[in-house]
Amino acid sequence: MIRLRPWKGSKTHYEVDITLVAPSGQRRRWRVKAPVSGRHNAERWAKAREQDLLAQLLAPPPPPEVQPPPTLREFAVTFMEACRADRLGKNTLRNYDVHLRVHILPVVGDRRLDELGERDLVELKTRLLERARSTAAEVLKTLKAILGRAIRLGVLERMPVPIEIPRRIRKEPIAYTPEEVELLLGAAANDPQLLAAVLLGLDGGLRRGEILALRWEDVDFNRATLTVRTTLVGDDLGETTKGHADGVVGVTARLAAALQRLGTRSARGFVLADTDGSHWDERIFTRRLRQLVRAAEIRWLGSHVLRRTCATRIAEAGGGVAAIAAHLRHAGLQMA
């Protein structure tokens, strides 16, 4: 609606009063002095102005400003927070952190997520040529997990570049021979702590972190069992084991005898502790085991070989895949 009024008593200039009602019911009003003289000219100018204002009123709102995706370095913080919120295992979190800091961020950290391309992958893979094939595969899996999380959070619409994970090279299982096992146990015979640690891996099939986290309250000599509840990751005692569930393991006669020789030393009740009561950590365990292997004059194959040897002994004794998976507490038969 348009109304004209004389401008402050003038006979040649007019005030234009325009009122519009939006489809939503909202009323808009403009009052302004017409830039032309004469009632006819002012009325014609007011109608043109009304059409312009009406077009502005009916125009759709401008689309919201779209923020560009963050750089990989910026999103890495969000990614790690999301992983912690999902309560991923401490080992998984630590691996993600190492992959990001050591391998991914130095190469493509300042690249925006949607700008990652084949050249960036080639540069990252070239840097990983000095690493083992398995390490390269795990680093690329981490990068793929980051981009996948960005899509689920709505930061990306699609994967910016396809990431192919190199297939692992299948190797023969590594385990100590029966002769090497006897040499290892013979070298540990005079060290009750080492003997118990070795047998927890060879007979119990425990992982290194599970051996270090074992407490006396988890050992039941009457039933000849022990319960695996927690694991040690770095310097932190994890809340659960790798399978996120307690597991009951049978105790052999020689393992029970080795444990009974120890007695309670640690104030916190850990099975593996020095004479002063201090608890073993991963560094102490690895150093002591290396010294034992050197004294036994056998191959150093790492600490996980004790668990692999346990599985091999079960298989050689006639146990099938199901028996191995049950004793080693695997989530499925594939790993066994």
Side-chain angles (χ1 to χ4, degrees):
M1 182 173 62
I2 300 175
R3 293 177 182 175
L4 296 180
R5 301 184 185 91
W7 176 257
K8 296 182 179 181
S10 173
K11 295 182 180 180
T12 57
H13 293 86
Y14 289 86
E15 178 189 63
V16 176
D17 187 347
I18 303 174
T19 303
L20 296 176
V21 180
S24 62
Q26 181 183 10
R27 296 174 63 87
R28 302 293 299 275
R29 186 180 182 187
W30 291 269
R31 288 187 296 179
V32 65
K33 179 186 176 183
V36 295
S37 60
R39 185 179 181 88
H40 177 73
N41 292 334
E43 187 175 0
R44 187 171 57 181
W45 179 87
K47 289 181 179 180
R49 180 60 177 162
E50 182 186 40
Q51 294 300 315
D52 292 340
L53 294 174
L54 184 61
Q56 295 177 18
L57 187 64
L58 298 179
E65 184 179 356
V66 179
Q67 295 292 333
T71 64
L72 205 148
R73 190 182 308 278
E74 294 168 341
F75 185 73
V77 178
T78 304
F79 172 74
M80 293 302 296
E81 289 176 350
C83 291
R84 294 187 189 96
D86 289 342
R87 300 188 179 186
L88 298 186
K90 292 186 177 181
N91 264 330
T92 301
L93 293 175
R94 184 170 62 174
N95 289 338
Y96 280 161
D97 179 65
V98 171
H99 294 165
L100 281 166
R101 288 188 297 101
V102 178
H103 303 294
I104 298 175
L105 296 185
V107 179
V108 293
D110 296 326
R111 184 76 67 190
R112 252 176 39 191
L113 291 179
D114 60 335
E115 293 178 343
L116 282 172
E118 189 62 33
R119 288 182 178 273
D120 300 309
L121 280 185
V122 171
E123 186 177 357
L124 179 60
K125 291 177 180 178
T126 302
R127 182 187 178 97
L128 291 170
L129 286 176
E130 301 175 357
R131 304 286 180 166
R133 188 183 183 94
S134 58
T135 300
E138 293 304 316
V139 171
L140 291 175
K141 284 182 182 179
T142 298
L143 179 59
K144 193 171 184 178
I146 293 172
L147 297 178
R149 175 71 70 166
I151 293 174
R152 295 198 298 276
L153 291 177
V155 178
L156 286 177
E157 293 183 359
R158 58 181 178 82
M159 192 72 72
V161 60
I163 300 178
E164 297 181 0
I165 309 299
R167 298 183 63 180
R168 290 176 177 268
I169 299 176
R170 293 286 182 178
K171 298 180 180 180
E172 289 296 322
I174 299 176
Y176 283 137
T177 65
E179 293 76 18
E180 289 173 322
V181 169
E182 292 303 319
L183 290 172
L184 189 67
L185 295 178
N190 296 325
D191 190 329
Q193 288 286 312
L194 264 178
L195 181 61
V198 169
L199 286 175
L200 283 170
L202 287 176
D203 288 5
L206 272 63
R207 302 175 179 90
R208 178 182 60 189
E210 296 167 349
I211 294 173
L212 295 171
L214 188 67
R215 299 175 186 266
W216 285 113
E217 63 189 39
D218 301 325
V219 181
D220 189 337
F221 289 108
N222 294 328
R223 296 184 179 181
T225 61
L226 57 85
T227 303
V228 184
R229 305 181 192 276
T230 55
T231 184
L232 188 73
V233 180
D235 296 328
D236 299 326
L237 197 64
E239 294 181 0
T240 61
T241 62
K242 186 175 181 180
H244 303 292
D246 294 354
V248 178
V249 177
V251 175
T252 61
R254 64 178 181 179
L255 174 56
L259 291 173
Q260 288 172 338
R261 285 180 58 189
L262 295 181
T264 303
R265 295 180 178 180
S266 172
R268 292 188 292 167
F270 290 106
V271 171
L272 292 185
D274 286 327
T275 53
D276 60 357
S278 60
H279 178 220
W280 281 21
D281 57 19
E282 292 181 349
R283 179 180 54 82
I284 295 175
F285 181 87
T286 302
R287 186 185 74 241
R288 297 284 297 273
L289 188 59
R290 276 184 175 274
Q291 294 171 347
L292 179 64
V293 167
R294 189 161 50 247
E297 298 182 349
I298 60 176
R299 302 170 293 168
W300 168 252
L301 299 174
S303 59
H304 200 66
V305 70
L306 300 177
R307 180 173 165 89
R308 292 197 187 101
T309 302
C310 177
T312 302
R313 290 174 55 226
I314 294 174
E316 291 176 346
V321 174
I324 296 173
H327 187 69
L328 270 63
R329 295 163 289 110
H330 285 146
L333 300 181
Q334 182 66 32
M335 178 61 70

